[in-house]
Amino acid sequence: MKLFKSLLVAPATLGLLTPFSVSANEVNLNDISNYSDVENIEFANSFDKEEPIQRTLLAGGEGLVESYDGGFSTTTTASFGADFVIGAVDGGGGTTEATTFDYQYGMSLSTSFTGEDSLDLTIETGNGSSSSATILDMNSMGDAMTLDGITYTFPLGDALTVMVGDSTDVSALYSTACTYSAFTDLLSNCGSGTAAGLGGGSTNQNTTATTDDASSATFAASYDFGNGLTVAGGLSAAGGDAAGLFTKESHDVYGVQAAYNTDSYGVSLSYALTETSSTADSTFLGVNAYYSLDGGPSLSVGFESEDPDTTAEETGYFVGLTWDELGPGSFSVGMSTLENYLDTETELYQYEAAYSYAVNDGMTITPGIFIKEVANADDETGVIVKTSFSF
């Protein structure tokens, strides 16, 4: 955390050294010592400009910033989030019940240059390594701050949006028809984890990862017809420095989706192609839909078929119910196949139920339970309480 703060403070500090050194012999030290009572301090101009530069001394003593166009851009915003997870998981072929605690933290920075575009980056850390953290897919970065993704999004006309970035999902601009409020990571895929949740390059869960993804890139676009109908797609490569981007050696992914969403129902159709080697690939087709019952829960369903080059077609599915207003919070219950299966294979499932309620505007507590079937072993069961902070 100290290093992270240093990285934030260092650029601002370097930018302040020059004006201080140039005008040091003309600064009124008494005014600075009483800066909490001085709104603006005017420095004499060492370069004989007609108008002196106005600077604001921050109340916390952090330094001087330009009062009109200096310091951080007025279009730069930051949002932060943290999760605390305490839980116990038992079974699963050797796992013994033990109560564990994990955390993850992330921040998102966003800057606009035209008022319509957006440069976004995400920095994350965490120590999630327990069974509870794994089932929720928490960050396990050994407490090291990591740049998790950087993108630039901009419009072309009134309806077309374009995104380019690194460590970014091809499906980032998708409008998948699913309203289920998931607790575990598996059910958050809504049954179409690759077709509608397509990652980027080596980050894709069904792609053989490269060991060097330094040269990775994602390009995506979406078109909004304005009546609930959207079309989106993209492509991504993570070939590393040696293989390059979109070459025979790189592991590329391609995807496209058409979706129609309204307040009460929606449906989406997604297609993906992922390269697993220089000579093999897999294709995925996903269908998602939801329907919100009047005065009742919303029903979400998902189906995905996978057609690898080396095996026969595999399928998987999901179903979930969400009550957005049940008492002071919301309740969700759902089930999903653990993966896509051949017709000859025995399907294994995961079940979950969770209740989420907001303590205040920035804090939400979600207790939940799950059961994960395990082949030739006792089912894995867990009770987890997740506390989320946003600010």
Side-chain angles (χ1 to χ4, degrees):
M1 182 60 71
K2 290 183 179 179
L3 175 60
F4 177 62
K5 288 184 177 180
S6 299
L7 292 175
L8 285 179
V9 173
T13 304
L14 291 174
L16 296 175
L17 291 178
T18 300
F20 252 122
S21 60
V22 170
S23 305
N25 62 334
E26 298 166 331
V27 175
N28 188 321
L29 297 179
N30 291 328
D31 282 346
I32 288 184
S33 65
N34 298 299
Y35 63 84
S36 60
D37 297 324
V38 179
E39 295 183 357
N40 293 286
I41 299 176
E42 183 176 292
F43 291 86
N45 195 310
S46 301
F47 298 97
D48 296 326
K49 292 182 180 179
E50 294 182 359
E51 296 182 1
I53 296 175
Q54 298 255 336
R55 302 179 185 274
T56 302
L57 184 57
L58 301 182
E62 293 88 346
L64 301 175
V65 296
E66 301 286 351
S67 61
Y68 53 96
D69 62 351
F72 291 105
S73 168
T74 57
T75 62
T76 299
T77 60
S79 58
F80 307 86
D83 293 322
F84 288 169
V85 169
I86 184 170
V89 179
D90 189 34
T95 303
T96 57
E97 183 176 350
T99 301
T100 57
F101 177 84
D102 301 273
Y103 89 95
Q104 64 181 4
Y105 168 82
M107 64 177 296
S108 177
L109 300 175
S110 178
T111 297
S112 178
F113 303 96
T114 67
E116 296 179 341
D117 63 345
S118 181
L119 175 64
D120 304 279
L121 59 89
T122 301
I123 301 172
E124 295 181 338
T125 188
N127 68 345
S129 59
S130 68
S131 297
S132 297
T134 300
I135 203 74
L136 299 184
D137 193 30
M138 295 180 63
N139 295 326
S140 55
M141 301 173 178
D143 299 322
M145 300 297 297
T146 302
L147 180 62
D148 190 53
I150 180 169
T151 62
Y152 180 62
T153 308
F154 57 94
L156 289 177
D158 296 331
L160 181 63
T161 301
V162 178
M163 173 185 288
V164 59
D166 183 89
S167 301
T168 302
D169 291 346
V170 171
S171 58
L173 298 179
Y174 282 10
S175 302
T176 303
C178 181
T179 58
Y180 180 69
S181 180
F183 182 60
T184 62
D185 177 62
L186 175 65
L187 272 72
S188 68
N189 293 326
C190 293
S192 54
T194 300
L198 187 58
S202 64
T203 62
N204 182 55
Q205 61 181 351
N206 288 284
T207 302
T208 302
T210 58
T211 57
D212 178 10
D213 61 353
S215 296
S216 61
T218 297
F219 305 90
S222 66
Y223 191 90
D224 187 352
F225 291 89
N227 55 0
L229 178 63
T230 59
V231 176
L235 62 163
S236 179
D241 292 337
L245 302 177
F246 304 110
T247 63
K248 183 179 180 180
E249 294 77 16
S250 67
H251 295 170
D252 308 329
V253 297
Y254 308 85
V256 64
Q257 181 192 79
Y260 180 73
N261 294 299
T262 69
D263 291 338
S264 57
Y265 65 92
V267 61
S268 61
L269 178 64
S270 309
Y271 171 84
L273 184 148
T274 70
E275 297 179 349
T276 54
S277 72
S278 59
T279 59
D281 56 50
S282 296
T283 58
F284 299 82
L285 182 66
V287 180
N288 291 91
Y290 69 87
Y291 182 75
S292 298
L293 303 174
D294 187 17
S298 63
L299 170 67
S300 296
V301 295
F303 171 84
E304 182 176 83
S305 66
E306 177 181 354
D307 189 8
D309 284 346
T310 56
T311 61
E313 182 181 8
E314 304 173 3
T315 59
Y317 58 89
F318 145 88
V319 61
L321 290 169
T322 297
W323 286 260
D324 289 330
E325 297 182 5
L326 188 64
S330 62
F331 177 72
S332 62
V333 58
M335 62 166 288
S336 174
T337 54
L338 295 184
E339 57 185 73
N340 298 329
Y341 293 93
L342 296 169
D343 291 339
T344 57
E345 292 180 312
T346 300
E347 297 176 340
L348 299 176
Y349 298 89
Q350 184 168 304
Y351 310 87
E352 70 173 26
Y355 187 80
S356 180
Y357 61 97
V359 178
N360 49 51
D361 291 340
M363 179 179 176
T364 301
I365 297 178
T366 305
I369 60 174
F370 76 90
I371 300 174
K372 179 181 178 180
E373 295 182 345
V374 180
N376 303 317
D378 293 335
D379 293 344
E380 186 175 279
T381 59
V383 178
I384 302 173
V385 178
K386 178 180 178 180
T387 304
S388 300
F389 306 88
S390 60
F391 50 99

